[in-house]
Amino acid sequence: MDSERSNESDRSDGSDESDLSDSYDDLSDLEPLPKRGRQSTHSDNLSGVEERNSDIALSPDRQIEEHGAEKLQSMQQTPAGELKGGFGTSKPLLKDLACLKVTPAKWYRLGLQLNISENELDKIKANNSTDVDSCILEMFKTWLRNTPDATYAELKDALDRIGEHSVAAQLLQPSVVKVQDFMKEDECTRAMMNGNLEIIKRMKRPIEIEKIGRFEDGTLASCIIVQGIPGVGKSTLAWQLGRRWGKKEILQHFQLVIVLRLRDERVQKAHTISELLYHPDPDIQQSVSKWMASTLGGDVLLILDGYDELSSELQIGDHSIFARIIKGEEFPKLTVLVTSRPSANRNLYQLCRIRAKCQYIEVVGFSKKEIREYIELAFEHNLQLKESFNLYIEQRPHIHSMMYVPINCAIVVELFREHKGKPPQTLTEVYTALTNTLLQRHEKKTKEKTSVDMTHTAVTSSKMTCFEGLSSTTLSQLQSVARLAYQGTLNDQLIFHDVQDNIESLGLLQKVPQLYSTSSPKASYNFIHKTLQEFLTAWYVSSLPTSEQRVFVEDSFTEPNMAMTVRFMAGLTKFQTSSENMDDLANIVISLDTTDEQRLIENLHWMFETQNPTFIQRLLGNKELIFECSGTLLNPFDLHVLGYCIANSSSLWSVNLKYCDESMRILFLVEDGKAFDHITSFNLSGSKITASVASLLGMMLKENNTLKELNLVDCKLQPEGLEEVIKGVQVHTKLENLVLSVNTIDNKRASCLGMMLKVNNTLKKLKLDRCGLQPEGLEEVIKGVQVNTMLETLVLSQNTLDNERASCLGMMLKENNTLKKLNLRKCKLQPEGLELVIKGVQVNTKLETLDLSWSTIDNKGVSCLAHVLKHNTTLSELELRGCGLRDEAICELCGGLKWCKLKKLDLGANPIGDQGAKGLADMLKDHPKLEELEVDGCPMISDDAHALKHNTTLSKLRLWRCGLRDEAICELCGGLKWCKLKKLNLCNNTFGDQGAKGLADMLRDHPTLEELDVYGCEEISDDGVQYLMDAMMSNTRVKMLKLDEKYKHLIVPQELVGRIIYSPY
């Protein structure tokens, strides 16, 4: 490049937070801050990193030639997230084997081929008689236990011997070898793009910097994605990796590490890998290029820093060298690490989808502990000032919430040290104060002006007036710098060549060292931080006429890389104008009913920056609003912004904050907790709720009169904290739904729950599944429900229900006259206890839904249940999945089912044979109400198809894993043509193109069918899928066809876009 490295604070996202202190002389007096050597790293140097006054040699032996620069202090650990891979070359892992789709009927034969004895297999079968998936899992466990040196090759041979060739093939092909690996990578990509935070959280964990690029099983990643918000430390991490490799501290399995700063012009103009590998010594450049070509990039790590700073064309264009490298089209053995802001995630993840073994890392900035350590360093020579600062941020939690971003932390500390005036409230005020400080220092040096009192100038917030008190000369120079920032923003320019001599000394720009020969005599400059360029751009635009501001926002609003600029504009203008144009401008920016979570969060930040409650109330009105953030990890400042906007609105909010950490306490503190006066639904599932947060939550429940729904699934509530929540619910006057699933509830807290249920008169739904309730505690809960006069839904699934407690439950059902839904799935109900429950159902006159799945039902229980079904007039949904029901039991049940008003019946995972299937078919012919039927694993016979011809009520049919082949599907379609089915699930069946053609013929003319699911039907070829697509073209009533992701290469007609849904293969 013609222009070269400056300090790390100017890089890509400004992640060099603490480098701000010495990136320009004006802040270099912040002595306690970690000092960094001035980085004069080649954007295209072959070693990847050089300190500002030092070089790291480019030769393969990587000798370091020091020239006396200060050393860059390294963070020893980077909080980040990782997704680990799967198979590789290591020993088979049980979690990977669990993903193999072995045909249920063949698991026993596979076990024999893996040298598992018949006795062991019979024992597995006896212990899991109603759950084939559990049998398969236990079989694999036994194999791994019996065979310490088990290999995938051994498993592949066994699969081939029993005819499971498609499963065996997954263990051979490099692109599919990683069933779990590929699934996890692809799941995470979709999770990050589409908001599935359950997957992201499940697969992420803190990672030490030394382990970046390596999975837990020891295998190496081929692509590493490092993401993080502006200023959080991405570039610091990237350059530290290169520097520490050069010092032989980490990444020693690479022969070469190359770090490229993507903002540099020379890098952006490159079209080939050779052009990227520039070095002043042509011999070194040529030898390294040839070596890389011969190895296809093997043993080389290429770090691309600042992907978000590329234009859209350079990010994903067909001719972009960067896109080709990330996809693996250029130098396929090259390992690539990419840093980026979230604004470019969608483009980046699209490129990574086809890469094997991708590792996803998020730099999350400072923790509370690290903020404290930073403060200790900053004020270690002035203990009194440190105490004042700690009190300052303790009284202002919103400022503390900003400081998790390292660059904000550095700025806030320095502003406090230098000025003790009005503290900044927003990021706009922080950067206004920073700019003002730099300009004042400039004036001190030039002796044009004495220092200005920050109390009057730091946070005044309108156009030029935010810098009043400065000389006219300085303001004129500032206007020129702001215009430069604006022009650079419009042109995606971060490095500037034609800079006026009189503006470079303001402290806002810094000179880029000239490391390459160039014909241009002028120096190159960039802003000390990209965020500062964005702030000055907004400041310049806010000084333009409103009509021009409108044009700028209209052009910028949909561009993710302009989000910070729009945010600063809101903070500078505050929309304190009656101009109709300004109202229109606001309407352009705000869009609360968007499904884009990042855009939604950005809108809230934009409103917060205005610090204008009247404007926020006018903008949001009195609507019922939903803040759904299940796919984006919120930082402390996000939570403060959310609380502020909710508290200052006139709306009622439904708030979904899955997977928060302890920082959620900010919501309870901001604006004195007024946000909860506007929240009607609060979802914290998956969050870690500490005792102190639980106490705040309990206090809020006692004082709040708006909350109706509270979801605390898997919040790791401690006993004392849970008790505080329950006591809050006890006196709450509005709460209707409470979810405490997957929290351990001991007997004492169960007793509190029972007491609460006896006195509470608002709760309608209570979920206590997987709470580890002990018999005594469960009894207390049941007794509370017995006298409760409002509860309609009770979920107790996966808690052990012994016979004594089952008797108590049966008694409750006889006396309670409000309960409509009861879920006892996997409660380990024994025949005697189950009979007592069924007798309670017989007397109950309100119950509509009953789930007894995975209970043991003997002949006596079946007879009792059939009798209840024959006479019950309220039950509409019955789930008996995995209850071990065989043909005789099914036929007896069907005798009772004919007379009841059941609308949904689930008999999946039961060992139903031909006789039972015939009994179901007979029942289907005459049943007057049944709308949904699930019979997974049940064989189809001709009577079933005949029954469908005569049934006029069935709208949903699930025949998953029923072993249906072409002949059976064609026969089934003959009956389907006449019924009123809307949803048909044929997942994981064995039919091929002939069956697909039969389905297509049925689809063309079917009057009601809306959804068809053939996921997992691996025998269907591309031709078979094409039959189905052609049929959908003829029938516009069919809204969805669900296919394996392996069919994504097929061209989808425009008319079917959005109607074809893909799932991972």
Side-chain angles (χ1 to χ4, degrees):
M1 287 240 358
D2 293 332
S3 54
E4 267 328 324
R5 294 285 165 245
S6 57
N7 62 4
E8 288 189 279
S9 64
D10 67 359
R11 291 198 190 97
S12 91
D13 50 270
S15 50
D16 6 31
E17 44 285 312
S18 51
D19 217 22
L20 183 67
S21 61
D22 64 347
S23 61
Y24 42 87
D25 294 335
D26 298 299
L27 288 183
S28 60
D29 57 337
L30 186 54
E31 296 295 343
L33 292 181
K35 300 287 288 183
R36 302 185 185 196
R38 295 201 172 258
Q39 294 284 329
S40 72
T41 49
H42 287 283
S43 64
D44 35 11
N45 76 24
L46 299 181
S47 69
V49 177
E50 294 181 3
E51 296 196 29
R52 207 167 259 127
N53 295 312
S54 68
D55 296 321
I56 293 178
L58 307 180
S59 53
D61 61 358
R62 299 168 293 178
Q63 295 299 314
I64 303 173
E65 298 174 8
E66 300 287 355
H67 296 295
E70 291 180 295
K71 299 304 172 197
L72 174 67
Q73 281 201 359
S74 300
M75 293 175 64
Q76 294 304 309
Q77 185 173 349
T78 297
E82 173 188 353
L83 293 182
K84 59 189 182 64
F87 286 173
T89 58
S90 57
K91 178 180 177 178
L93 300 176
L94 182 64
K95 57 186 175 56
D96 297 331
L97 301 180
C99 293
L100 294 177
K101 293 182 285 188
V102 178
T103 303
K106 294 184 178 181
W107 76 268
Y108 194 101
R109 290 170 55 197
L110 178 59
L112 293 174
Q113 293 296 326
L114 293 174
N115 296 319
I116 302 174
S117 68
E118 290 186 6
N119 287 339
E120 288 176 302
L121 292 172
D122 289 338
K123 185 176 180 180
I124 291 172
K125 187 174 181 180
N127 292 338
N128 303 276
S129 60
T130 60
D131 187 357
V132 177
D133 289 338
S134 294
C135 289
I136 296 172
L137 187 62
E138 288 300 319
M139 179 267 295
F140 279 132
K141 283 183 181 178
T142 304
W143 176 52
L144 294 177
R145 185 172 59 250
N146 294 352
T147 316
D149 56 347
T151 65
Y152 283 109
E154 182 183 351
L155 175 59
K156 177 214 172 285
D157 291 339
L159 288 165
D160 281 330
R161 287 195 294 271
I162 64 170
E164 290 286 79
H165 304 298
S166 60
V167 181
Q170 296 172 13
L171 303 175
L172 270 183
Q173 303 167 11
S175 60
V176 191
V177 164
K178 29 169 187 53
V179 175
Q180 186 70 4
D181 178 303
F182 178 84
M183 290 288 290
K184 282 199 171 186
E185 291 160 12
D186 206 52
E187 274 187 289
C188 185
T189 300
R190 278 190 298 276
M192 289 179 168
M193 293 172 66
N194 302 326
N196 194 332
L197 201 62
E198 290 88 342
I199 294 174
I200 296 174
K201 268 290 186 178
R202 186 174 71 242
M203 298 180 182
K204 281 195 170 185
R205 60 175 180 78
I207 182 175
E208 295 177 353
I209 191 171
E210 291 80 7
K211 296 181 180 179
I212 288 176
R214 192 180 294 274
F215 296 121
E216 269 189 346
D217 62 2
T219 57
L220 300 176
S222 65
C223 183
I224 306 155
I225 306 303
V226 177
Q227 70 167 22
I229 66 171
V232 80
K234 301 181 299 296
S235 289
T236 298
L237 174 61
W239 294 93
Q240 183 187 154
L241 289 171
R243 186 186 70 87
R244 293 185 64 186
W245 169 83
K247 292 195 169 198
K248 298 187 178 181
E249 295 175 355
I250 59 174
L251 302 174
Q252 294 305 292
H253 52 285
F254 290 110
Q255 292 296 311
L256 186 64
V257 171
I258 306 168
V259 182
L260 302 179
R261 187 173 66 170
L262 298 185
R263 68 159 51 179
D264 289 342
E265 290 172 319
R266 182 182 293 276
V267 174
Q268 293 192 5
K269 290 178 180 178
H271 294 91
T272 66
I273 195 77
S274 179
E275 292 175 2
L276 285 176
L277 301 182
Y278 175 84
H279 189 266
D281 186 334
D283 292 336
I284 292 179
Q285 180 178 350
Q286 186 176 10
S287 64
V288 174
S289 297
K290 287 183 177 179
W291 172 68
M292 285 187 62
S294 67
T295 62
L296 298 180
D299 298 325
V300 177
L301 172 63
L302 177 64
I303 299 177
L304 303 177
D305 181 32
Y307 176 82
D308 56 284
E309 296 183 354
L310 296 173
S311 66
S312 180
E313 178 60 29
L314 287 178
Q315 285 182 7
I316 57 174
D318 293 336
H319 301 293
S320 166
I321 180 64
F322 309 107
R324 298 200 305 273
I325 287 174
I326 294 171
K327 287 191 291 186
E329 295 175 355
E330 294 268 347
F331 291 82
K333 294 185 179 181
L334 181 72
T335 301
V336 60
L337 182 149
V338 188
T339 73
S340 178
R341 287 184 179 186
S343 59
N345 278 357
R346 185 165 292 276
N347 286 345
L348 184 54
Y349 293 154
Q350 285 176 357
L351 298 179
C352 296
R353 293 175 76 96
I354 62 174
R355 288 295 294 258
K357 291 192 173 297
C358 286
Q359 184 182 49
Y360 299 89
I361 292 173
E362 181 171 5
V363 182
V364 297
F366 285 165
S367 65
K368 290 178 66 175
K369 179 183 177 183
E370 288 164 334
I371 291 175
R372 287 195 299 270
E373 291 173 352
Y374 188 95
I375 293 170
E376 288 290 332
L377 277 175
F379 297 102
E380 63 181 345
H381 300 303
N382 192 332
L383 297 181
Q384 184 177 357
L385 194 59
K386 181 182 75 174
E387 291 177 4
S388 298
F389 183 77
N390 284 329
L391 180 62
Y392 164 79
I393 60 173
E394 182 182 340
Q395 294 172 346
R396 299 168 178 84
H398 64 285
I399 293 179
H400 190 271
S401 71
M402 292 183 194
M403 292 175 65
Y404 92 99
V405 179
I407 191 168
N408 293 346
C409 189
I411 294 173
V412 169
V413 166
E414 175 59 12
L415 291 175
F416 182 84
R417 287 165 56 111
E418 186 154 333
H419 316 285
K420 300 175 181 60
K422 181 181 177 182
Q425 305 293 314
T426 66
L427 278 181
T428 304
E429 293 176 359
V430 167
Y431 277 86
T432 300
L434 171 64
T435 305
N436 213 31
T437 299
L438 297 176
L439 295 176
Q440 289 177 49
R441 290 182 176 183
H442 163 74
E443 291 198 337
K444 285 180 183 179
K445 288 183 178 181
T446 57
K447 298 182 180 179
E448 290 182 14
K449 194 82 176 174
T450 58
S451 61
V452 181
D453 184 0
M454 283 290 293
T455 305
H456 303 295
T457 64
V459 294
T460 313
S461 60
S462 177
K463 302 180 182 177
M464 294 291 288
T465 59
C466 64
F467 300 117
E468 63 185 8
L470 297 171
S471 69
S472 58
T473 301
T474 301
L475 288 174
S476 176
Q477 292 172 333
L478 175 62
Q479 190 76 6
S480 298
V481 174
R483 186 183 302 109
L484 188 70
Y486 168 71
Q487 291 169 346
T489 299
L490 291 183
N491 299 316
D492 291 323
Q493 184 180 359
L494 297 170
I495 294 180
F496 306 89
H497 306 295
D498 299 322
V499 176
Q500 301 173 24
D501 294 337
N502 63 340
I503 66 174
E504 64 179 86
S505 62
L506 293 178
L508 306 174
L509 294 164
Q510 59 189 2
K511 186 178 292 186
V512 179
Q514 202 68 271
L515 299 180
Y516 310 116
S517 59
T518 173
S519 58
S520 174
K522 292 190 175 183
S524 299
Y525 295 85
N526 56 16
F527 286 88
I528 59 176
H529 197 283
K530 184 181 178 183
T531 309
L532 183 60
Q533 180 177 346
E534 292 166 321
F535 168 75
L536 291 173
T537 298
W539 182 77
Y540 180 82
V541 174
S542 67
S543 67
L544 298 175
T546 302
S547 58
E548 295 185 38
Q549 293 182 41
R550 177 189 175 92
V551 172
F552 179 84
V553 174
E554 283 180 331
D555 293 341
S556 310
F557 177 59
T558 57
E559 297 295 327
N561 61 336
M562 296 297 293
M564 287 296 296
T565 303
V566 174
R567 189 190 297 187
F568 283 133
M569 279 194 63
L572 288 165
T573 64
K574 296 188 180 296
F575 296 105
Q576 291 176 335
T577 174
S578 58
S579 166
E580 291 183 4
N581 286 335
M582 193 59 75
D583 286 345
D584 291 342
L585 185 64
N587 289 330
I588 293 169
V589 177
I590 200 67
S591 177
L592 273 180
D593 44 7
T594 178
T595 57
D596 186 336
E597 290 185 6
Q598 199 60 47
R599 182 70 259 164
L600 175 59
I601 294 168
E602 197 56 50
N603 286 336
L604 294 176
H605 274 281
W606 171 81
M607 286 188 285
F608 172 78
E609 289 295 321
T610 68
Q611 289 291 290
N612 187 344
T614 302
F615 176 75
I616 293 173
Q617 290 176 14
R618 180 163 58 87
L619 193 63
L620 297 179
N622 295 315
K623 312 170 189 174
E624 291 187 8
L625 301 174
I626 298 175
F627 182 82
E628 177 76 30
C629 196
S630 59
T632 303
L633 296 170
L634 296 184
N635 60 57
F637 191 42
D638 291 334
L639 290 167
H640 177 82
V641 167
L642 174 63
Y644 177 88
C645 292
I646 293 177
N648 286 284
S649 71
S650 302
S651 307
L652 294 177
W653 293 70
S654 176
V655 178
N656 184 341
L657 295 180
K658 287 185 176 182
Y659 302 107
C660 277
D661 56 20
E662 190 180 359
S663 58
M664 77 179 75
R665 64 184 296 114
I666 292 172
L667 268 181
F668 296 91
L669 302 175
V670 64
E671 299 288 298
D672 298 322
K674 292 179 182 177
F676 286 94
D677 293 338
H678 302 270
I679 297 177
T680 58
S681 176
F682 197 28
N683 184 350
L684 290 173
S685 58
S687 301
K688 184 179 180 181
I689 298 182
T690 61
S692 61
V693 173
S695 178
L696 287 171
L697 184 57
M699 191 179 303
M700 178 274 293
L701 286 167
K702 291 176 182 177
E703 299 174 358
N704 178 276
N705 61 357
T706 58
L707 196 67
K708 292 185 177 180
E709 298 182 19
L710 179 60
N711 188 336
L712 302 177
V713 171
D714 192 19
C715 286
K716 302 173 182 61
L717 281 162
Q718 298 302 308
E720 296 77 11
L722 179 59
E723 188 169 341
E724 291 295 324
V725 172
I726 295 170
K727 287 179 178 178
V729 173
Q730 185 166 333
V731 299
H732 198 278
T733 58
K734 294 287 186 179
L735 196 68
E736 296 179 358
N737 296 340
L738 176 61
V739 183
L740 295 174
S741 308
V742 204
N743 290 290
T744 302
I745 302 179
D746 61 15
N747 287 341
K748 183 178 179 182
R749 261 45 69 167
S751 178
C752 289
L753 265 175
M755 185 64 67
M756 178 272 290
L757 286 167
K758 290 177 181 178
V759 299
N760 181 281
N761 60 1
T762 63
L763 208 61
K764 294 183 178 180
K765 181 177 181 179
L766 178 61
K767 295 188 69 174
L768 301 174
D769 52 294
R770 295 164 289 173
C771 286
L773 283 163
Q774 299 302 307
E776 296 80 4
L778 195 54
E779 184 171 343
E780 291 296 323
V781 172
I782 294 170
K783 288 179 177 179
V785 175
Q786 186 169 337
V787 298
N788 186 280
T789 59
M790 290 297 293
L791 198 68
E792 296 179 355
T793 299
L794 177 62
V795 178
L796 295 174
S797 58
Q798 298 190 51
N799 291 291
T800 301
L801 197 62
D802 61 13
N803 289 341
E804 186 177 346
R805 258 45 68 170
S807 174
C808 186
L809 185 62
M811 185 64 68
M812 178 272 289
L813 286 170
K814 291 178 181 179
E815 298 186 11
N816 181 282
N817 61 359
T818 61
L819 203 63
K820 295 182 179 180
K821 296 182 179 180
L822 178 60
N823 187 329
L824 303 177
R825 176 179 289 242
K826 292 188 177 181
C827 281
K828 299 181 181 179
L829 274 164
Q830 296 304 305
E832 182 182 344
L834 183 63
E835 187 178 344
L836 293 171
V837 172
I838 294 172
K839 288 180 178 179
V841 174
Q842 183 175 350
V843 178
N844 190 283
T845 59
K846 293 289 185 178
L847 199 66
E848 298 174 358
T849 300
L850 178 62
D851 189 345
L852 297 173
S853 297
W854 309 102
S855 300
T856 303
I857 305 181
D858 60 8
N859 292 336
K860 190 175 180 181
V862 169
S863 300
C864 185
L865 185 58
H867 178 75
V868 169
L869 290 172
K870 187 177 290 188
H871 297 91
N872 185 281
T873 58
T874 61
L875 209 60
S876 62
E877 296 184 16
L878 178 62
E879 299 194 31
L880 300 173
R881 175 175 292 270
C883 290
L885 300 175
R886 299 185 178 276
D887 287 350
E888 184 179 349
I890 291 294
C891 292
E892 186 169 0
L893 274 179
C894 288
L897 287 168
K898 286 183 180 181
W899 308 99
C900 72
K901 298 181 179 180
L902 215 59
K903 293 183 178 180
K904 178 182 177 181
L905 177 62
D906 183 355
L907 293 172
N910 283 293
I912 304 174
D914 289 350
Q915 184 182 352
K918 188 177 185 305
L920 282 171
D922 292 340
M923 180 271 294
L924 275 177
K925 293 177 187 177
D926 305 319
H927 200 285
K929 295 284 186 179
L930 198 64
E931 297 175 1
E932 297 183 28
L933 177 62
E934 298 186 14
V935 284
D936 308 353
C938 174
M940 291 296 298
I941 56 175
S942 58
D943 284 350
D944 298 67
H946 181 69
L948 290 171
K949 289 183 181 181
H950 298 277
N951 185 282
T952 59
T953 60
L954 204 64
S955 63
K956 182 178 179 180
L957 178 61
R958 173 170 161 150
L959 301 173
W960 182 65
R961 275 191 178 180
C962 286
L964 301 178
R965 298 186 178 275
D966 288 334
E967 184 179 352
I969 288 293
C970 292
E971 190 170 358
L972 178 66
C973 290
L976 289 173
K977 285 184 179 180
W978 308 99
C979 71
K980 296 182 179 180
L981 210 61
K982 292 184 177 181
K983 297 180 181 181
L984 177 61
N985 186 327
L986 297 172
C987 280
N988 296 97
N989 281 292
T990 54
F991 63 90
D993 289 350
Q994 184 182 347
K997 191 173 186 304
L999 282 170
D1001 292 339
M1002 178 271 295
L1003 272 180
R1004 282 192 181 87
D1005 305 316
H1006 202 284
T1008 59
L1009 197 64
E1010 298 176 355
E1011 296 181 14
L1012 173 62
D1013 190 344
V1014 291
Y1015 164 77
C1017 300
E1018 299 174 1
E1019 301 301 320
I1020 303 177
S1021 71
D1022 291 355
D1023 291 339
V1025 173
Q1026 196 62 56
Y1027 294 147
L1028 295 172
M1029 287 187 181
D1030 291 344
M1032 289 182 69
M1033 293 286 288
S1034 303
N1035 189 345
T1036 57
R1037 285 183 293 272
V1038 183
K1039 298 176 182 178
M1040 187 193 82
L1041 172 63
K1042 188 174 181 180
L1043 301 168
D1044 285 334
E1045 204 167 51
K1046 68 176 182 178
Y1047 299 113
K1048 288 191 75 171
H1049 65 279
L1050 297 176
I1051 298 175
V1052 177
Q1054 185 61 37
E1055 295 87 344
L1056 298 185
V1057 172
R1059 296 167 65 191
I1060 306 293
I1061 306 297
Y1062 299 99
S1063 288
Y1065 174 52

